[in-house]
Amino acid sequence: MMQITDLKTEQKIPPLLRLGFRPFFLSGALFSIFAITLWLLMYKGTISLSPLGGGYWWHIHEMIFGFGGAIIAGFLLTAVQNWTGVRGAQGNTLLALFLLWLAGRTLLAVPDLLGSSLSSLIDLLFLPTVAYVLAKPIIAMKQYRNLFFVPLLALFTIANLEMHLAIHYPTTFNSVYSGYAGVMLVTFLMSVMAGRVAPMFTANGTKTEKAAPLPWLDKAANGSLAIAMFSLLLEPIVGFSATFFGVLLIIASVFQTMRWVRWRPWITLHVPLLWSIHGAMKFICFGLFVLGASYLIPEVPSNHVWHLLTIGGIGGMILAMISRVSLGHTGRPLTPPKSMTLAYILINLAALVRSFGPWAVPEKTLLFIDISGGFWIIAFVIFIAGYGPMLINARKDGRPG
């Protein structure tokens, strides 16, 4: 009876607003294409635009807090239903959250509409609002294990706040460190999420035994990332030590690699939905090591190799996870469109080209950035073409969601 009642109520709601993953996965993917295209045009000087904080600030902020924030919101607002058994945000509540996110993206691109202070405030409201909506059912159902994600969103908000403060108080706050704190926070979230699902997905998808968890290794892998994140977040108070940060990232890489190898990524090579997840973990493992080395060896360019994490690790994990979650939550078999294999390959290539091309041939930096950006755009266009119809239409199996 409950399912029938839910279904009748849900049929009055447009499919796009029935669960958080629908509007935020679709709009996040669309926005990433827009943001990368705009950044490429600004970087080359093809267009003249004055976003909040300038082009470089805007690019860092919007890929982390705009694109990343949308995907994280969509994932958490969907997952909370599985955790609690309570219907996730939908209808007008979900629409309000989406419009708040969209307002932030619009105002940061065109801050003259309301002024820089109000534009910043509206952008900063999104993550705390998501945290509030997320916390209500978790607390009501006493699912306190998953309340962990609420303070995580609070830390994400602090990193966002520091980025905005860097515009007005550049001698106290550094937008690069606060932006990288956001990157480390998202990397930490990806690591936690992968630890929860990758062994199970791998076992189920390959019909093999699930890798036994090692709690100490999970704590070491995630804890080292958390320390790295806090070292960046607290930079205005305690300063920044390149040596400490570099060594810490290498240690984190060792723990991440140990854990990843235990998941046996080599047995997933025939399953795109699996090797795409493991491919993203590969970039987190490898990216942390190279990035750590860049803070110890001046010849290794940090500004380029950060993209091993941002494109290959975060971008790759996002593309892998949203393509899997969207299938499951729209009542479809876990078989992605064949074109997604190309999308997964392209996001890997985008990370390699952007990170190593400018390092190897500095005079061709602009070309490599164009190629990498083009690969990213094509990858997410493929996702939208294949998954857009799924996200805007009702579930195939007729169930709520």
Side-chain angles (χ1 to χ4, degrees):
M1 180 62 70
M2 181 62 71
Q3 184 175 358
I4 294 172
T5 304
D6 287 348
L7 190 57
K8 286 182 178 179
T9 302
E10 190 161 280
Q11 285 173 343
K12 301 175 184 177
I13 302 172
L16 190 61
L17 297 176
R18 291 181 184 176
L19 207 52
F21 77 97
R22 292 177 176 271
F24 283 115
F25 286 3
L26 182 58
S27 59
L30 286 167
F31 178 72
S32 79
I33 294 171
F34 166 78
I36 291 296
T37 301
L38 201 59
W39 168 240
L40 292 177
L41 294 174
M42 284 193 290
Y43 192 84
K44 293 191 293 185
T46 304
I47 63 171
S48 178
L49 187 69
S50 299
L52 187 72
Y56 184 62
W57 184 98
W58 181 86
H59 170 62
I60 294 175
H61 182 277
E62 290 302 85
M63 292 309 295
I64 301 167
F65 299 99
F67 165 63
I71 302 301
I72 291 169
F75 176 80
L76 293 178
L77 292 171
T78 301
V80 71
Q81 180 171 291
N82 294 333
W83 301 335
T84 65
V86 177
R87 291 296 291 150
Q90 59 179 181
N92 290 336
T93 300
L94 186 54
L95 177 60
L97 286 172
F98 169 72
L99 291 176
L100 181 59
W101 173 84
L102 185 61
R105 312 289 61 78
T106 303
L107 293 173
L108 295 199
V110 193
D112 290 342
L113 289 174
L114 294 180
S116 60
S117 296
L118 189 54
S119 297
S120 292
L121 177 61
I122 291 172
D123 175 63
L124 287 165
L125 285 174
F126 175 67
L127 290 170
T129 306
V130 171
Y132 172 75
V133 173
L134 184 70
K136 285 182 65 178
I138 292 176
I139 294 172
M141 302 305 293
K142 299 182 180 180
Q143 293 285 329
Y144 299 124
R145 174 175 179 260
N146 295 306
L147 201 59
F148 154 83
F149 291 100
V150 174
L152 199 65
L153 289 174
L155 290 172
F156 206 25
T157 302
I158 292 172
N160 191 11
L161 175 62
E162 287 189 1
M163 274 209 80
H164 282 278
L165 289 174
I167 297 173
H168 306 286
Y169 306 99
T171 57
T172 303
F173 297 94
N174 187 305
S175 62
V176 173
Y177 290 135
S178 52
Y180 287 162
V183 172
M184 293 308 301
L185 194 60
V186 178
T187 304
F188 170 78
L189 176 60
M190 298 297 167
S191 175
V192 171
M193 180 177 65
R196 287 188 173 195
V197 303
M200 177 182 63
F201 287 173
T202 300
N204 293 344
T206 60
K207 310 300 182 187
T208 58
E209 187 176 351
K210 178 184 174 182
L214 283 180
W216 73 265
L217 185 56
D218 282 330
K219 290 176 182 177
N222 296 328
S224 52
L225 288 179
I227 295 171
M229 182 274 297
F230 277 113
S231 73
L232 292 166
L233 202 63
L234 296 175
E235 183 274 336
I237 300 172
V238 301
F240 178 76
S241 169
T243 301
F244 171 78
F245 189 67
V247 171
L248 183 60
L249 292 188
I250 291 173
I251 292 172
S253 169
V254 171
F255 288 131
Q256 290 287 339
T257 303
M258 290 171 60
R259 190 174 65 151
W260 178 57
V261 170
R262 291 191 72 253
W263 297 341
R264 299 163 299 158
W266 55 86
I267 68 176
T268 69
L269 296 178
H270 63 290
V271 187
L273 273 185
L274 293 178
W275 71 249
S276 56
I277 294 174
H278 285 282
M281 284 304 302
K282 169 202 66 183
F283 273 104
I284 290 176
C285 298
F286 177 58
L288 288 170
F289 186 88
V290 179
L291 188 59
S294 76
Y295 284 91
L296 304 175
I297 305 171
E299 290 76 17
V300 182
S302 298
N303 60 320
H304 295 313
V305 298
W306 268 100
H307 292 86
L308 290 171
L309 282 184
T310 56
I311 299 175
I314 296 173
M317 186 66 78
I318 284 175
L319 192 61
M321 289 303 297
I322 63 177
S323 57
R324 183 186 183 95
V325 170
S326 297
L327 290 172
H329 282 281
T330 57
R332 289 171 169 81
L334 294 179
T335 305
K338 293 187 183 300
S339 58
M340 283 304 297
T341 298
L342 175 60
Y344 300 144
I345 292 171
L346 287 175
I347 207 72
N348 282 262
L349 291 176
L352 294 173
V353 169
R354 179 62 186 86
S355 301
F356 294 113
W359 180 5
V361 191
E363 62 271 20
K364 296 292 185 181
T365 293
L366 187 58
L367 174 63
F368 291 122
I369 290 175
D370 279 345
I371 293 171
S372 176
F375 285 165
W376 176 290
I377 290 168
I378 295 170
F380 277 90
V381 165
I382 290 172
F383 170 80
I384 291 166
Y387 284 82
M390 303 181 199
L391 296 172
I392 64 175
N393 289 297
R395 285 180 62 114
K396 289 280 285 187
D397 56 10
R399 294 171 56 194

